[in-house]
Amino acid sequence: MPCLASHITDHQMRLYMTYRLTLSPEAAAAKAGFSKASAYRIEGDCRPPSQKKTPRGRRRSDPLGQYWDAEIVPILKAAPGIRVIGVLDELRRRHHDLNPNIRRTLERRINAWRALNGPEQDVIFRQQHEPGRLGLSDFTDVSALGITIAGEPLDHRLYHFRLAFSGFEHVHVVLGGESFVALAEGLQNALWALGGVPREHRSDSLSAAFRNLAADARGDLTQRYAGLMGHYGMAPTRNNAGIAHENGSIESAHGHLKRALEDALLLRGTREFASLDAYRAFVDEIVGRRNANLAKPIALEKEALAPLPKGRTTDFEEKVIPVTSSGGFILRRVFYTVPSRLIGHRLRVRIFDDRLECFLGVTPVVTLRRGRPVSESQGGHVVDYRHVIHALRRKPMALLNLVYRDQLFPRAAYKRLFETLREHGDDRRACKVTVELLALAHERACEAELAEVIAMDLDAGQLPDLAALRDRFRPEAASIPRVAVKLAPLDVYDELASVSVMSGRSNLGEAA
């Protein structure tokens, strides 16, 4: 059969077949823009031109021909997950004269073979979420953001809660690792900010929280998690360990959240924050903007949420710990100082993610920043110089070899002063002056101002004058006001007494 004229396109062919429904071949060909002879050929073979093209044959020899069936296919069957570069390296190891430029050809051939003969792959089933049904929790690492607080890098991650239907988000800055305490605090903050409770809560398998726990501790953690879910009436579910896409409604949101924070930091011009509260406010503002863009679906989903319970449940762990003669206690390999008057007492300590709340009986006595061990072999210290300065003032030489000496200094200027004084060769003077300046900072509540003056003196190449600093930061003398007291004459009291007697008699007469 003769081939269709090369100048006829598939588009002209479609036009011809449309016109042919109502017109003769000649008229349809004229409207489609080709000759009557071509119309007669189409009547004999109605395939479009693109289907009549003869496939192009190979113009050069197959570089993989002698290796494909004998070596490459057995490798792919024996190791289905092997990369193309791994196959190429093995072939070049076996055949040193093999051209390395065949990589793209090998990739195409292997991809085509796997499409026809490879193993079955996992299928992701897209889900349709109904309002008020599913809330998801997960933790995400944000160390790449490079956040610093007062010049110190902030080691932290984010707890991320999200509703599957509307996309409502809540984020909580977590200073430690993934733990039940962080999950409980972040989840409850999210639910109370949302104003309702979804019917189901999904998380990962809490692998980080379970890691290195004994069997009893794991059972206790499981019971506490079940109690948290029961308090809010949510059905707990978990995705399979190691399968992130089962939690895809929040895993994909991690990337969007991090990019939003990165963009906001670039616009802000700095990654430095004055305090942890300032950084938390920054994160809350970014998340609030994202939620504002989803106001309509969030409002729709809120109508389908269950009501909140009357109050929150516990989002902390609790330990009873004695305060030792060292002026503090050790909790999870971290030493904490407390006011020395608590030595010998047993404190009930509530352990939150970022703080410890200490109680003597039911009376709150102190709140401490939560610390972390330095490493697997070295513990940590959380020290407040105000707790020990009165005792250290009586024994200033104890500062020289104090275990937590570096953590005692509240600001870098005090540590710099101590080291400068020691360089002059007088350890006793270094301890005495530094302790007295710390005491001055505590008594006069001038820690920051005093540190600035010390730093200025050291920058100028001179040592601070203790007497001059005491005089500079002493309380201002206030003038005592003169109070003039004018005493009433004593005979006035006699007159008042007589008036009182006459009034009493008058009242008796009226009663009679």
Side-chain angles (χ1 to χ4, degrees):
M1 182 177 295
C3 295
L4 187 66
S6 60
H7 65 277
I8 298 179
T9 64
D10 284 6
H11 177 64
Q12 288 177 308
M13 181 72 173
R14 288 192 295 270
L15 288 176
Y16 173 80
M17 298 305 294
T18 302
Y19 294 138
R20 187 68 181 84
L21 295 175
T22 56
L23 299 175
S24 64
E26 297 83 355
K31 281 185 170 291
F34 51 81
S35 67
K36 177 173 58 176
S38 297
Y40 292 141
R41 286 195 293 270
I42 292 174
E43 293 294 324
D45 185 0
C46 59
R47 289 179 300 165
S50 60
Q51 296 182 9
K52 296 184 179 182
K53 292 181 179 179
T54 304
R56 191 189 72 176
R58 178 176 292 278
R59 292 179 294 182
R60 62 184 178 88
S61 61
D62 185 1
L64 301 175
Q66 58 180 321
Y67 313 113
W68 182 257
D69 291 325
E71 300 184 46
I72 298 176
V73 171
I75 291 175
L76 296 176
K77 289 181 177 179
I82 191 171
R83 297 182 303 161
V84 174
I85 189 64
V87 177
L88 179 60
D89 289 343
E90 177 63 16
L91 288 176
R92 295 191 64 198
R93 186 186 68 81
R94 297 179 184 180
H95 310 282
H96 299 289
D97 58 342
L98 188 65
N99 189 341
N101 294 331
I102 65 170
R103 174 174 176 174
R104 295 302 302 273
T105 302
L106 184 63
E107 286 179 346
R108 289 193 294 268
R109 292 282 293 276
I110 289 180
N111 290 336
W113 182 89
R114 282 173 170 166
L116 298 175
N117 306 286
E120 297 290 343
Q121 298 189 46
D122 193 16
V123 178
I124 297 177
F125 299 97
R126 303 297 177 186
Q127 301 292 299
Q128 183 175 0
H129 299 288
E130 58 182 281
R133 185 182 70 84
L134 181 61
L136 305 102
S137 291
D138 198 11
F139 294 87
T140 182
D141 182 30
V142 287
S143 57
L145 295 179
I147 303 299
T148 58
I149 304 295
E152 295 294 328
L154 181 64
D155 182 16
H156 72 296
R157 63 190 64 213
L158 299 179
Y159 164 80
H160 194 184
F161 174 84
R162 189 171 185 267
L163 291 179
F165 171 78
S166 64
F168 169 85
E169 291 178 304
H170 185 85
V171 176
H172 179 66
V173 177
V174 177
L175 299 184
E178 299 180 22
S179 65
F180 172 77
V181 170
L183 173 67
E185 184 177 6
L187 177 59
Q188 293 191 86
N189 290 344
L191 295 178
W192 286 88
L194 179 60
V197 181
R199 297 190 297 276
E200 181 181 333
H201 175 255
R202 173 169 294 177
S203 68
D204 61 11
S205 298
L206 289 179
S207 56
F210 276 92
R211 189 178 298 124
N212 298 327
L213 294 181
D216 293 341
R218 294 185 181 184
D220 177 64
L221 185 58
T222 301
Q223 293 179 1
R224 292 168 62 194
Y225 179 69
L228 175 64
M229 295 295 100
H231 180 77
Y232 286 94
M234 291 188 292
T237 62
R238 294 175 181 171
N239 59 295
N240 294 316
I243 305 180
H245 69 255
E246 290 189 358
N247 222 16
S249 293
I250 193 168
E251 289 284 352
S252 61
H254 287 338
H256 298 301
L257 173 63
K258 292 177 185 178
R259 284 190 289 272
L261 291 173
E262 177 67 23
D263 291 341
L265 289 169
L266 291 173
L267 291 173
R268 187 172 181 267
T270 178
R271 298 167 191 267
E272 168 77 10
F273 291 86
S275 65
L276 179 61
D277 290 339
Y279 173 57
R280 282 179 163 157
F282 168 79
V283 173
D284 291 342
E285 181 181 358
I286 302 305
V287 175
R289 293 178 193 170
R290 290 165 58 84
N291 286 334
N293 295 330
L294 302 171
K296 290 185 178 179
I298 290 175
L300 177 62
E301 185 156 28
K302 281 185 176 182
E303 297 176 357
L305 296 174
L308 289 165
K310 292 183 179 179
R312 295 168 64 116
T313 185
T314 56
D315 52 6
F316 54 83
E317 299 179 60
E318 194 167 85
K319 300 286 185 182
V320 177
I321 303 177
V323 179
T324 68
S325 58
S326 297
F329 59 85
I330 297 177
L331 176 64
R332 296 179 179 174
R333 299 174 52 232
V334 177
F335 176 79
Y336 298 86
T337 60
V338 295
S340 59
R341 57 181 178 273
L342 297 174
I343 292 176
H345 293 276
R346 296 175 66 84
L347 297 180
R348 185 163 52 88
V349 181
R350 292 180 178 177
I351 307 170
F352 294 86
D353 171 67
D354 59 347
R355 68 191 185 280
L356 305 180
E357 294 182 356
C358 304
F359 295 80
L360 185 62
V362 296
T363 304
V365 290
V366 65
T367 298
L368 305 172
R369 173 182 60 85
R370 186 173 176 183
R372 312 287 172 183
V374 176
S375 64
E376 292 294 332
S377 59
Q378 183 180 359
H381 298 87
V382 176
V383 179
D384 188 340
Y385 73 99
R386 300 173 185 85
H387 294 158
V388 297
I389 191 60
H390 64 287
L392 195 59
R393 200 172 186 181
R394 293 194 295 269
K395 297 177 283 187
M397 284 301 295
L399 179 64
L400 185 61
N401 297 310
L402 189 60
V403 173
Y404 51 78
R405 185 186 67 199
D406 290 343
Q407 289 77 25
L408 180 72
F409 300 119
R411 295 176 184 269
Y414 297 96
K415 180 180 179 180
R416 182 184 170 193
L417 169 65
F418 178 73
E419 293 174 347
T420 303
L421 290 170
R422 290 194 66 192
E423 290 173 359
H424 285 71
D426 190 348
D427 289 345
R428 181 176 296 276
R429 180 167 179 260
C431 293
K432 178 67 175 177
V433 172
T434 304
V435 169
E436 288 298 322
L437 287 175
L438 288 173
L440 178 64
H442 172 48
E443 293 171 355
R444 298 290 183 261
C446 59
E447 176 189 302
E449 296 83 354
L450 180 57
E452 291 180 3
V453 175
I454 293 173
M456 291 174 60
D457 288 342
L458 293 176
D459 291 339
Q462 61 186 22
L463 294 176
D465 187 340
L466 180 59
L469 291 175
R470 282 176 175 167
D471 185 65
R472 177 172 179 172
F473 289 100
R474 69 181 179 182
E476 295 182 1
S479 59
I480 301 176
R482 298 187 61 180
V483 180
V485 179
K486 186 177 181 180
L487 299 177
L490 296 179
D491 55 357
V492 173
Y493 294 97
D494 295 335
E495 294 180 4
L496 291 174
S498 61
V499 170
S500 177
V501 171
M502 292 297 295
S503 176
R505 291 177 178 176
S506 174
N507 290 336
L508 290 174
E510 292 177 359

